[in-house]
CSV table of all heavy atoms in Angstrom, one decimal:
chain,number,residue,atom,x,y,z
A,46,LYS,N,145.8,143.9,136.8
A,46,LYS,CA,145.9,144.1,135.4
A,46,LYS,C,146.7,142.9,134.8
A,46,LYS,O,147.6,142.3,135.5
A,46,LYS,CB,146.7,145.3,135.1
A,46,LYS,CG,145.8,146.6,135.3
A,46,LYS,CD,146.3,147.8,134.5
A,46,LYS,CE,145.3,148.9,134.7
A,46,LYS,NZ,145.2,149.8,133.6
A,47,LEU,N,146.4,142.6,133.5
A,47,LEU,CA,147.2,141.5,132.8
A,47,LEU,C,147.9,142.2,131.6
A,47,LEU,O,147.3,142.7,130.8
A,47,LEU,CB,146.3,140.4,132.4
A,47,LEU,CG,147.0,139.3,131.5
A,47,LEU,CD1,148.0,138.5,132.4
A,47,LEU,CD2,145.9,138.3,131.0
A,48,THR,N,149.3,142.1,131.7
A,48,THR,CA,150.1,142.6,130.6
A,48,THR,C,150.4,141.5,129.6
A,48,THR,O,151.0,140.5,130.0
A,48,THR,CB,151.4,143.3,131.1
A,48,THR,OG1,151.0,144.2,132.1
A,48,THR,CG2,152.1,144.0,130.0
A,49,VAL,N,150.0,141.7,128.4
A,49,VAL,CA,150.3,140.7,127.3
A,49,VAL,C,151.5,141.2,126.5
A,49,VAL,O,151.4,142.3,125.8
A,49,VAL,CB,149.1,140.4,126.4
A,49,VAL,CG1,149.4,139.4,125.4
A,49,VAL,CG2,147.9,140.1,127.2
A,50,ASP,N,152.6,140.5,126.5
A,50,ASP,CA,153.8,140.9,125.8
A,50,ASP,C,153.8,140.1,124.4
A,50,ASP,O,153.9,138.9,124.4
A,50,ASP,CB,155.1,140.5,126.6
A,50,ASP,CG,156.3,141.1,126.0
A,50,ASP,OD1,156.3,141.5,124.8
A,50,ASP,OD2,157.4,141.2,126.7
A,51,LEU,N,153.7,140.9,123.4
A,51,LEU,CA,153.6,140.3,122.0
A,51,LEU,C,155.0,140.2,121.3
A,51,LEU,O,155.1,139.6,120.3
A,51,LEU,CB,152.8,141.2,121.1
A,51,LEU,CG,151.3,141.4,121.6
A,51,LEU,CD1,150.7,142.7,120.9
A,51,LEU,CD2,150.4,140.2,121.3
A,52,ASP,N,156.1,140.7,121.9
A,52,ASP,CA,157.4,140.7,121.3
A,52,ASP,C,158.1,139.4,121.4
A,52,ASP,O,157.7,138.5,122.2
A,52,ASP,CB,158.3,141.8,121.9
A,52,ASP,CG,157.9,143.2,121.6
A,52,ASP,OD1,157.2,143.4,120.5
A,52,ASP,OD2,158.2,144.1,122.3
A,53,GLY,N,159.0,139.2,120.4
A,53,GLY,CA,159.8,138.0,120.5
A,53,GLY,C,159.4,136.9,119.6
A,53,GLY,O,160.1,135.8,119.5
A,54,THR,N,158.2,137.0,119.0
A,54,THR,CA,157.8,135.9,118.1
A,54,THR,C,158.2,136.2,116.6
A,54,THR,O,158.7,137.3,116.3
A,54,THR,CB,156.2,135.8,118.1
A,54,THR,OG1,155.7,136.9,117.4
A,54,THR,CG2,155.7,135.7,119.5
A,55,SER,N,158.0,135.3,115.7
A,55,SER,CA,158.3,135.5,114.3
A,55,SER,C,157.2,136.3,113.6
A,55,SER,O,157.5,136.7,112.5
A,55,SER,CB,158.6,134.2,113.6
A,55,SER,OG,157.4,133.4,113.6
A,56,GLY,N,156.1,136.6,114.3
A,56,GLY,CA,155.1,137.4,113.7
A,56,GLY,C,153.7,136.8,113.9
A,56,GLY,O,153.6,135.6,114.2
A,57,TYR,N,152.7,137.7,113.8
A,57,TYR,CA,151.3,137.2,114.0
A,57,TYR,C,150.4,137.4,112.8
A,57,TYR,O,150.6,138.4,112.1
A,57,TYR,CB,150.7,138.0,115.1
A,57,TYR,CG,151.3,137.9,116.5
A,57,TYR,CD1,152.3,138.8,116.9
A,57,TYR,CD2,151.0,136.9,117.4
A,57,TYR,CE1,152.9,138.7,118.1
A,57,TYR,CE2,151.6,136.7,118.6
A,57,TYR,CZ,152.6,137.7,118.9
A,57,TYR,OH,153.2,137.5,120.1
A,58,GLY,N,149.5,136.5,112.6
A,58,GLY,CA,148.5,136.6,111.5
A,58,GLY,C,147.3,137.3,112.2
A,58,GLY,O,147.1,137.2,113.4
A,59,THR,N,146.5,137.9,111.3
A,59,THR,CA,145.3,138.6,111.8
A,59,THR,C,144.4,137.6,112.5
A,59,THR,O,143.8,137.9,113.6
A,59,THR,CB,144.5,139.2,110.5
A,59,THR,OG1,145.4,140.1,109.9
A,59,THR,CG2,143.3,139.9,110.9
A,60,SER,N,144.2,136.4,112.0
A,60,SER,CA,143.3,135.5,112.6
A,60,SER,C,143.7,135.0,114.0
A,60,SER,O,142.9,134.8,114.8
A,60,SER,CB,143.1,134.2,111.7
A,60,SER,OG,142.6,134.6,110.5
A,61,PHE,N,145.0,134.8,114.1
A,61,PHE,CA,145.5,134.4,115.4
A,61,PHE,C,145.1,135.4,116.5
A,61,PHE,O,144.6,135.1,117.6
A,61,PHE,CB,147.0,134.2,115.4
A,61,PHE,CG,147.6,133.8,116.8
A,61,PHE,CD1,147.8,132.5,117.1
A,61,PHE,CD2,148.0,134.8,117.7
A,61,PHE,CE1,148.3,132.1,118.4
A,61,PHE,CE2,148.5,134.5,118.9
A,61,PHE,CZ,148.6,133.1,119.3
A,62,LEU,N,145.4,136.7,116.2
A,62,LEU,CA,145.1,137.7,117.2
A,62,LEU,C,143.6,137.9,117.4
A,62,LEU,O,143.1,138.0,118.6
A,62,LEU,CB,145.7,139.1,116.7
A,62,LEU,CG,147.2,139.1,116.6
A,62,LEU,CD1,147.7,140.4,115.9
A,62,LEU,CD2,147.9,139.0,118.0
A,63,GLU,N,142.8,137.8,116.3
A,63,GLU,CA,141.4,138.0,116.5
A,63,GLU,C,140.8,136.8,117.3
A,63,GLU,O,140.0,137.1,118.2
A,63,GLU,CB,140.7,138.0,115.1
A,63,GLU,CG,139.3,138.7,115.1
A,63,GLU,CD,138.2,137.8,115.7
A,63,GLU,OE1,138.3,136.6,115.6
A,63,GLU,OE2,137.3,138.4,116.3
A,64,GLU,N,141.2,135.6,117.0
A,64,GLU,CA,140.7,134.5,117.7
A,64,GLU,C,141.1,134.5,119.2
A,64,GLU,O,140.3,134.2,120.2
A,64,GLU,CB,141.2,133.2,117.1
A,64,GLU,CG,140.5,131.9,117.7
A,64,GLU,CD,139.0,131.9,117.5
A,64,GLU,OE1,138.5,132.4,116.6
A,64,GLU,OE2,138.3,131.4,118.5
A,65,SER,N,142.3,135.0,119.5
A,65,SER,CA,142.8,135.0,120.9
A,65,SER,C,142.0,136.1,121.7
A,65,SER,O,141.6,135.8,122.7
A,65,SER,CB,144.3,135.4,120.9
A,65,SER,OG,145.1,134.5,120.2
Side-chain angles (χ1 to χ4, degrees):
Chain A
K46 288 205 172 211
L47 177 64
T48 305
V49 183
D50 189 342
L51 300 161
D52 288 336
T54 69
S55 59
Y57 297 93
T59 302
S60 296
F61 178 92
L62 295 173
E63 200 289 326
E64 188 58 35
S65 302

